[in-house]
Amino acid sequence: MTDFETEQDDELRAFTERLCSFDTTGGNEGPAQEWLADRLSEMGFETYEWTADAERLAEHPSFPDDPVAIEHTEASTDGPTLVERPSVAGVLEFGDPDDGQTLVLNGHMDVVPVARESWDTDPFEPTWEGDDLTARGAVDMKSGLASCVFAAKHLHENAEGRNLDGRLVVESVVGEEEGGLGAAAAALSNPYPFERDAAIVAEPTDLTPVVAVEGTVMKRLRITGRSAHAATRWRGESVHPHFEAIRRAFFELEAERSESVTHPLYDEFPIPWPIVVGTVEAGTWSSSVPATLTAEMRLGVAPGETVDEVEAMYEERLAEVVEESEWLRDHPPTFERFSIQFESAETDPDEPIVGALQSAMDGERLDTTLRGETYGADSRHYVAAGIPTTLFGPGTIEQAHFPNETVHWPDVVTAGTVLTETARTFLD
């Protein structure tokens, strides 16, 4: 049993349970953030708070151009505003803080919505079965956030005589599932009176070190046909064959990109830069030829590529399909961005924070092989701000967003131990 586990386990369990008991869906992070800020203050952290500015985020390439669309969660004008959604942080100082490094340990407080009928338990009443904790957010990512808090606390309480200099910042940001509202705001306008040298985002990585995350482009395709009565179907122009031609061309491009766009951290994935056609709505009546179709899709962006570059590839492939169709040439489809865009991000394996993390993992006999992931994360905002950032945390992405979301508690303790030792090495 490690010193971290011996000294922190009971308190860490209670802390994580309380975090998971807050329903922080739909922009309702406020009460949980207030509770967390109070706990951080009680533990001796100096606390900070900031909110995102819709006008500023509208200028950011990841977010819609319309500040009104950013201001309210779930595109609802009666939802919580950004002012009601604070991000909070706690700072602990070591030795001469200005003579050392500053490390950010980051987590997000928001969770995705719940289909309660798919759960065996109340998702906001944390439930234990042996060493497994089930609750919405147990994996994504309140147990990781709790590990960050207690790693910083443990190191600070046991720092005497270790000659550590610098700062540890524990962040709890909002709106990660909506593109990273809190993290983007922190990256654009530093909320602290000091610079940040590195960061770890405690997303569920199965206790593996992740240094690259994929980007995404969200696009909405609209096709127009001509309606007709089902009894005289030949007088109409169905949108379905045109959509199938476009869909087929897009998946052919996906396959081509799987071969031509390579990255050593993504060789294990059968489809490294996937596209998903998530929604398709067509027609207005079962006995009428469908004259309209709207499809929304996600296009994968490899590390090293930009959202603009990948978007241009798919727009070019769409243009080729249009050119081959007389109907589409005369009735060109639209293909526009919507929602949030995720740029890809990558941190150099030679960065000190990567080495510190691998060293701490080695002490726990974990696999230190660096990985890339096909999802996006808040790390991209910090990398874009020049802050080297890795992902490391307890739980598996396969449990994130799923019913009966469950984390294996020993992994949470191991994550806390690794984060403690990583911070110790980085600040030494």
Side-chain angles (χ1 to χ4, degrees):
M1 183 176 289
T2 65
D3 289 343
F4 178 89
E5 182 178 0
T6 302
E7 298 178 14
Q8 308 291 337
D9 188 57
D10 289 344
E11 192 177 354
L12 176 58
R13 283 175 183 258
F15 188 92
T16 306
E17 286 183 19
R18 186 68 181 100
L19 281 181
C20 291
S21 71
F22 285 99
D23 181 349
T24 53
T25 58
N28 296 307
E29 304 99 334
Q33 295 288 67
E34 181 179 359
W35 178 86
L36 177 60
D38 288 343
R39 300 293 81 71
L40 290 173
S41 182
E42 290 173 1
M43 292 178 185
F45 289 79
E46 181 180 2
T47 58
Y48 291 81
E49 180 178 309
W50 67 95
T51 56
D53 178 78
E55 295 285 348
R56 186 77 188 275
L57 290 184
E59 300 172 358
H60 192 290
S62 287
F63 295 91
D65 294 335
D66 180 8
V68 175
I70 300 172
E71 183 67 40
H72 296 276
T73 183
E74 304 294 328
S76 171
T77 56
D78 59 357
T81 64
L82 294 181
V83 172
E84 298 170 289
R85 304 179 65 182
S87 293
V88 302
V91 178
L92 293 173
E93 294 187 341
F94 297 78
D96 184 352
D98 294 325
D99 195 39
Q101 303 267 45
T102 294
L103 174 62
V104 176
L105 303 178
N106 169 281
H108 63 82
M109 183 62 80
D110 56 308
V111 297
V112 296
V114 173
R116 288 179 179 264
E117 66 276 8
S118 299
W119 283 67
D120 296 331
T121 60
D122 186 323
F124 298 106
E125 289 187 7
T127 302
W128 290 92
E129 184 172 341
D131 283 334
D132 292 337
L133 172 63
T134 298
R136 173 55 90 218
V139 169
D140 189 16
M141 59 172 292
K142 291 177 178 178
S143 63
L145 174 57
S147 294
C148 292
V149 172
F150 279 80
K153 173 178 175 288
H154 179 68
L155 183 58
H156 196 256
E157 290 173 346
N158 295 275
E160 186 175 350
R162 295 186 180 274
N163 297 318
L164 302 180
D165 293 309
R167 299 179 183 86
L168 276 180
V169 181
V170 177
E171 287 184 345
S172 174
V173 295
V174 300
E176 189 271 349
E177 303 291 357
E178 298 164 67
L181 299 171
L188 288 169
S189 301
N190 185 356
Y192 314 110
F194 48 79
E195 296 304 315
R196 298 153 292 178
D197 297 293
I200 298 175
V201 178
E203 287 280 7
T205 68
D206 258 338
L207 300 177
T208 61
V210 174
V211 294
V213 292
E214 193 166 319
T216 61
V217 191
M218 305 296 288
K219 297 282 282 185
R220 181 180 287 122
L221 173 72
R222 287 194 171 99
I223 305 171
T224 302
R226 183 173 60 225
S227 186
H229 194 287
T232 56
R233 166 167 73 86
W234 56 89
R235 295 184 182 276
E237 182 72 29
S238 173
V239 292
H240 288 306
H242 300 299
F243 172 67
E244 279 304 308
I246 295 169
R247 190 194 67 83
R248 185 167 54 250
F250 281 2
F251 278 93
E252 289 172 355
L253 177 55
E254 176 198 65
E256 294 168 16
R257 283 173 42 75
S258 293
E259 296 294 328
S260 63
V261 182
T262 60
H263 191 291
L265 298 181
Y266 287 80
D267 290 342
E268 66 177 287
F269 296 103
I271 306 174
W273 329 120
I275 71 168
V276 172
V277 180
T279 67
V280 180
E281 295 183 2
T284 57
W285 187 248
S286 59
S287 62
S288 297
V289 173
T292 58
L293 182 144
T294 300
E296 294 180 343
M297 60 194 72
R298 170 200 187 274
L299 316 176
V301 180
E305 295 183 312
T306 68
V307 163
D308 289 346
E309 289 169 346
V310 173
E311 180 180 44
M313 293 179 194
Y314 281 91
E315 289 179 339
E316 181 179 353
R317 188 58 57 96
L318 174 61
E320 293 173 3
V321 176
V322 170
E323 182 59 29
E324 293 174 359
S325 166
E326 180 179 355
W327 178 266
L328 291 180
R329 288 199 304 272
D330 292 340
H331 306 82
T334 62
F335 193 42
E336 300 174 338
R337 289 187 186 187
F338 76 101
S339 188
I340 307 299
Q341 316 308 316
F342 282 60
E343 292 286 358
S344 61
E346 186 172 9
T347 291
D348 191 322
D350 292 329
E351 285 288 344
I353 186 57
V354 178
L357 176 60
Q358 288 180 303
S359 176
M361 292 177 62
D362 191 57
E364 293 298 306
R365 299 182 180 179
L366 298 174
D367 182 359
T368 62
T369 303
L370 300 179
R371 296 178 51 113
E373 287 291 354
T374 53
Y375 54 74
D378 272 347
S379 57
R380 73 190 191 281
H381 294 303
Y382 297 102
V383 171
I387 304 168
T389 304
T390 66
L391 272 65
F392 174 84
T396 171
I397 195 66
E398 295 177 1
Q399 282 287 320
H401 300 193
F402 273 61
N404 304 314
E405 181 180 343
T406 299
V407 69
H408 188 52
W409 188 253
D411 291 346
V412 179
V413 175
T414 299
T417 301
V418 170
L419 291 171
T420 300
E421 293 305 313
T422 301
R424 191 195 314 277
T425 299
F426 192 75
L427 299 185
D428 191 354

